[in-house]
Amino acid sequence: MAGKPQQPGMTGNGDELHQLAGGGHPPLTTQTGVVVSDDENSLRGGERGPTLLEDPVLLEKIQHFDHERIPERVVHARGFGAHGYFELTHSLKGISRAAIFNETGVKTPVFVRFSTVAGNKGSTDLARDVRGFAVKFYTREGNWDLVGNNIPVFFIQDAIKFPDLVHAAKQEPDKDFPQAQTAHDNFWDFASLMPESTHMLMWVMSDRAIPRSFRMMEGFGIHTYRLVNEDGKSTFVKFHWRPRLGMQSVVWDEALKISGADPDFHRRDLWNAISEGNFPEWELGMQLFDQEFADKFDFDVLDATKIIPEEILPLRTVGRLVLDRNVDNFFAETEQAAFCVRNVVPGIDFTNDPLLQGRIFSYQDTQLLRLGGSNFQQLPINAPKCPVMHFQRDGHMQMGVPKGRVNYSPSSLQPDSPRQDQQRGLTAFPQGMEGHKLRIRAASFADHFSQARQFFYSQTEPEQNHIVSAFIFELSKVDHLAVRERMVAQLANVDPRIAERVAAGLGLQGSIEPVPAAVKARTDLPASPALSILGKLKNTVEGRKIGCLVADGVHAGLIGSLRADVKRQKADFAIIAPKRGGAKAADGTIIEADFQLAGGPSVLFDAVFIAADADGVQLLLKEAAAVAFVHDAFAHLKVIGATKEAQPLLDAAGVMPDAGVLVGTNPEAFLTAAALGRIWDREPKVRTVY
Ligand code: HDD
């Protein structure tokens, strides 16, 4: 029964409102399938009377809402996933018996989730942090989860330290801040007392921890795993993902500002790329080696704080990963995705890496709490895409309906009941065991500094400078002087010069005494150029984003040809104008804007073009956001293209001429410069390098 109108445009049951929103929709129902007559008003005793507790529609709606959230992941809470496939391009016949490594050309479906580690679910994408790179392969022999990161080493060597590491890195427990950052006393107190974390700290202070895009970062399985062939022969393997777009990172000041301007920067980038058909792609490379190599290698291959330099053991490319489909529903798929390190298939096996061993337990355990019971593998995102037959029964949220009387083995009553299969089944590599039961760290794990030093000196000069600056930034947020000093003293073990540079930036007084080290850093390890990001930057604007700042009076032809050139080179193009409605070009046409000036700062783009005529530039000069747009682009070492008339804005922003400032340029020359990336020579002009 329709009541009286309660607000303009709305009758008592909301029909008028829904008509306004458009007709022709299917009926809304409750969870039990009953059609809802009125979704705007709860059931009341009288027009202005109390709400009745007997209203099933209201009760169901609110109760379900109250239970909408599940516990976020204890680490890697913030993440973003997509579907795709893995295609084997080079067979590993004779090395692994896994079908996924034998059948070239077969496309195995995958689900990939990228994440940050420390921040909560609602934190920012651009936190300085390791990125998770978790891949679930739905192989025809069962699910294989390769749960990796974008950095090939880890903070700790033994899983028993993981809760301490995570407690120290996340918000301090009394105040629940800072959010999504390690720049606080607890983290550096812990890190400075854990020399084994030093190599990883170098990576986390590098620009690897502030990637430009998920599409432009590498991924690693980190641990040494085993591949096992039909004859039971084992080969050690380290997994590497290589992005087709090459590597790229942002600079730190940019990261800080992106966190405010677009906390969803990485997820938006991935979502848009996939929606537009620019499917992100990675190559799977493997470092394969045997026991003899492991025995001769300078470090222990079971130590997750070490790499094997590619120059010593090159990668063998075996396949490619393509992400070609966004999720339909974030919660159902990305949030409920349960990656478990223990999910391996026949032909892939573990090693004794003590970090890996702890992980084999931890992930399943986490999912039990997060997803509420032992049937989470039945959720569509987790369910294998091959036959599943077992005698595990019942439990919370059993979604299948097992048929038949037999739920045990051995049995004889049901001819189609499943049986173990020695030939096809999962077997463990029969590694020999010896020794005493001990709580001990092998001596072969004791060198914490040599590879940290090797990493630093494998970087280009700007990258080394960034590592030093990152240490200075993070330690500047540490209130306890003793912690700052201890960390610098640890760095002195890596290299006295690095410690001196960080100390200078911090303004530490006095001499630096290295903390006693179990093993001194080797200085003879050759540089590994493969560790530099800049060495892997591709000279292309493909996958990057060009921002074009316009104002009324702009030349429409210039915008048209710039847009066409950008699109032709498979980059993204966005117009930024003082009003979202756009700018009126000199010929009277409207150039529609993608961003209003205040919401489209230059940190969101890889290179910028200032397209304004003499009048337009006067309009822009009155806007602090326009001056900041250009100033930041310059400070973040970006290529800036501009019309001649835009020069006053460049002057107001303090732009100095260099190879990356192209005034009165054409789109082609601008994009050729933008393809080179940043103007590193500019950096010493815009900030102090210690
Ligand atoms: Fe972990 C999540 C990667 C060490 C315990 N981890 C998690 C995720 C990634 C990694 C990518 C998110 C998966 C997703 O997207 O859902 N973790 C790593 C890497 C490590 C590592 C590369 C070292 C090489 N992790 C590690 C240790 C432990 C854990 C040593 C415990 C002993 N990790 C977990 C966890 C999480 C997790 C608590 C939280 C949420 C989840 O598992 O599903 O079980």
Side-chain angles (χ1 to χ4, degrees):
M1 191 179 70
K4 288 184 191 152
Q6 293 166 349
Q7 40 173 278
M10 181 175 167
T11 59
N13 66 8
D15 269 354
E16 202 176 306
L17 188 88
H18 291 286
Q19 274 156 20
L20 187 68
H25 293 266
L28 178 75
T29 74
T30 62
Q31 284 193 60
T32 45
V34 175
V35 173
V36 174
S37 65
D38 180 345
D39 188 38
E40 306 302 326
N41 301 293
S42 44
L43 193 64
R44 273 188 256 294
E47 207 172 43
R48 300 178 60 246
T51 300
L52 301 181
L53 253 187
E54 70 174 67
D55 180 350
V57 177
L58 173 74
L59 298 194
E60 181 197 271
K61 190 172 178 180
I62 291 188
Q63 194 157 49
H64 193 276
F65 170 75
D66 291 345
H67 295 241
E68 261 178 21
R69 299 284 171 272
I70 59 173
E72 64 176 38
R73 290 165 174 82
V74 56
V75 281
H76 295 262
R78 182 170 179 81
F80 202 65
H83 297 272
Y85 60 86
F86 170 75
E87 183 182 359
L88 189 73
T89 51
H90 300 80
S91 170
L92 286 177
K93 216 169 185 43
I95 296 178
S96 169
R97 71 175 169 121
I100 188 173
F101 291 140
N102 279 272
E103 298 167 347
T104 50
V106 170
K107 290 183 176 170
T108 301
V110 299
F111 183 73
V112 177
R113 182 175 178 272
F114 302 107
S115 48
T116 53
V117 180
N120 290 355
K121 193 166 172 282
S123 56
T124 163
D125 282 352
L126 258 290
R128 173 177 294 284
D129 204 346
V130 192
R131 299 297 180 291
F133 194 131
V135 185
K136 187 181 284 295
F137 299 80
Y138 304 91
T139 89
R140 68 173 177 79
E141 295 171 319
N143 286 358
W144 170 39
D145 293 351
L146 181 59
V147 194
N149 280 343
N150 75 331
I151 287 178
V153 289
F154 203 64
F155 292 98
I156 48 171
Q157 297 172 321
D158 186 322
I160 199 167
K161 295 311 298 169
F162 191 68
D164 299 294
L165 164 72
V166 174
H167 286 172
K170 287 189 85 121
Q171 307 99 288
E172 296 185 0
D174 48 352
K175 36 182 111 68
D176 201 38
F177 63 82
Q179 174 64 239
Q181 50 188 292
T182 50
H184 60 107
D185 288 62
N186 282 17
F187 178 75
W188 288 102
D189 182 29
F190 175 80
S192 64
L193 294 166
M194 289 289 288
E196 71 197 60
S197 68
T198 314
H199 186 196
M200 178 70 167
L201 290 174
M202 288 288 161
W203 285 80
V204 178
M205 293 303 113
S206 83
D207 294 345
R208 298 242 177 189
I210 42 172
R212 159 66 180 84
S213 158
F214 293 138
R215 300 180 286 150
M216 298 171 192
M217 62 184 204
E218 296 183 332
F220 303 91
I222 298 159
H223 311 283
T224 299
Y225 286 88
R226 287 177 187 280
L227 297 179
V228 184
N229 75 5
E230 288 80 1
D231 303 326
K233 181 172 175 283
S234 144
T235 305
F236 291 122
V237 59
K238 279 185 178 276
F239 298 106
H240 298 247
W241 294 111
R242 287 288 146 89
R244 190 182 63 78
L245 289 177
M247 290 193 74
Q248 193 180 320
S249 286
V250 300
V251 294
W252 179 234
D253 184 65
E254 204 181 3
L256 288 172
K257 290 174 176 163
I258 294 173
S259 289
D262 185 5
D264 306 305
F265 190 70
H266 284 153
R267 22 174 89 186
R268 193 185 306 282
D269 172 89
L270 190 70
W271 177 274
N272 287 348
I274 295 175
S275 309
E276 287 158 15
N278 297 324
F279 300 139
E281 197 173 321
W282 288 260
E283 248 178 28
L284 178 63
M286 292 184 184
Q287 286 180 300
L288 297 168
F289 56 101
D290 56 15
Q291 190 64 54
E292 200 186 336
F293 174 93
D295 293 340
K296 277 197 277 186
F297 184 54
D298 292 327
F299 303 93
D300 199 320
V301 298
L302 300 183
D303 174 357
T305 68
K306 303 298 184 298
I307 57 159
I308 304 177
E310 275 174 57
E311 290 76 7
I312 298 179
L313 185 60
L315 264 57
R316 177 158 160 182
T317 302
V318 299
R320 65 189 194 114
L321 167 72
V322 179
L323 297 182
D324 62 358
R325 183 161 63 88
N326 279 317
V327 297
D328 290 315
N329 183 274
F330 179 85
F331 181 85
E333 299 173 83
T334 312
E335 194 60 9
Q336 292 196 122
F339 294 89
C340 296
V341 172
R342 80 180 191 202
N343 289 351
V344 288
V345 292
I348 304 173
D349 203 353
F350 310 116
T351 59
N352 288 345
D353 174 338
L355 194 68
L356 173 60
Q357 297 275 318
R359 295 181 73 197
I360 294 167
F361 163 74
S362 176
Y363 289 69
Q364 181 85 6
D365 191 41
T366 299
Q367 312 310 348
L368 289 177
L369 174 70
R370 217 165 61 76
L371 297 166
S374 52
N375 288 318
F376 66 84
Q377 299 287 12
Q378 297 180 12
L379 291 167
I381 193 66
N382 297 322
K385 299 186 194 300
C386 62
V388 175
M389 289 164 289
H390 52 72
F391 299 118
Q392 290 158 36
R393 290 289 185 268
D394 308 343
H396 280 292
M397 297 294 160
Q398 170 59 255
M399 283 165 269
V401 184
K403 294 200 175 73
R405 65 181 296 167
V406 167
N407 57 359
Y408 54 89
S409 172
S411 71
S412 66
L413 303 183
Q414 200 177 300
D416 65 350
S417 71
R419 293 277 189 275
Q420 66 183 36
D421 184 333
Q422 298 260 345
Q423 287 301 310
R424 292 173 53 199
L426 186 69
T427 47
F429 176 73
Q431 162 146 37
M433 285 199 277
E434 58 181 21
H436 303 277
K437 219 186 262 183
L438 296 165
R439 289 188 186 277
I440 198 168
R441 195 77 56 94
S444 52
F445 282 47
D447 178 350
H448 305 312
F449 302 115
S450 300
Q451 285 204 348
R453 186 180 185 285
Q454 181 184 33
F455 175 77
F456 186 84
Y457 286 111
S458 297
Q459 307 299 310
T460 59
E461 196 181 321
E463 289 172 299
Q464 292 182 11
N465 295 342
H466 290 190
I467 295 172
V468 169
S469 300
F471 272 112
I472 294 168
F473 179 93
E474 295 261 320
L475 292 172
S476 296
K477 300 265 180 177
V478 170
D479 291 331
H480 291 81
L481 176 62
V483 173
R484 269 180 267 154
E485 287 177 338
R486 194 195 303 131
M487 192 59 230
V488 172
Q490 279 298 4
L491 289 177
N493 279 322
V494 180
D495 184 61
R497 179 71 195 121
I498 301 172
E500 278 162 22
R501 292 177 66 181
V502 174
L506 286 171
L508 282 187
Q509 310 298 327
S511 60
I512 305 161
E513 274 305 309
V515 174
V519 176
K520 284 209 176 326
R522 287 173 55 174
T523 54
D524 61 335
L525 296 179
S528 165
L531 302 181
S532 151
I533 303 172
L534 291 186
K536 290 177 172 169
L537 181 92
K538 289 213 171 138
N539 290 343
T540 168
V541 291
E542 183 180 348
R544 297 192 190 150
K545 192 159 186 171
I546 308 296
C548 181
L549 178 60
V550 302
D552 286 352
V554 59
H555 189 324
L558 173 65
I559 303 298
S561 57
L562 182 58
R563 184 193 299 274
D565 281 5
V566 168
K567 290 281 169 196
R568 203 172 307 121
Q569 298 190 29
K570 290 195 176 166
D572 247 4
F573 185 69
I575 295 281
I576 306 98
K579 293 178 191 157
R580 178 68 208 257
K584 196 169 196 177
D587 64 4
T589 54
I590 298 290
I591 308 286
E592 280 184 29
D594 302 286
F595 291 92
Q596 194 269 334
L597 189 49
S602 61
V603 292
L604 302 181
F605 311 105
D606 297 286
V608 297
F609 197 95
I610 320 299
D613 76 341
D615 291 340
V617 90
Q618 292 309 316
L619 294 173
L620 292 177
L621 276 167
K622 285 189 218 144
E623 302 287 351
V627 179
F629 185 97
V630 181
H631 175 269
D632 272 355
F634 186 71
H636 299 149
L637 320 176
K638 288 177 186 169
V639 170
I640 304 174
T643 53
K644 277 205 186 68
E645 295 78 8
Q647 185 67 51
L649 185 62
L650 269 50
D651 294 340
V655 172
M656 293 171 264
D658 65 27
V661 178
L662 292 89
V663 181
T665 182
N666 59 44
E668 201 186 330
F670 164 68
L671 289 176
T672 306
L676 299 175
R678 292 177 203 268
I679 309 300
W680 293 110
D681 293 347
R682 193 189 294 161
E683 195 161 33
K685 289 191 219 153
V686 295
R687 64 181 198 89
T688 308
V689 173
Y690 288 98

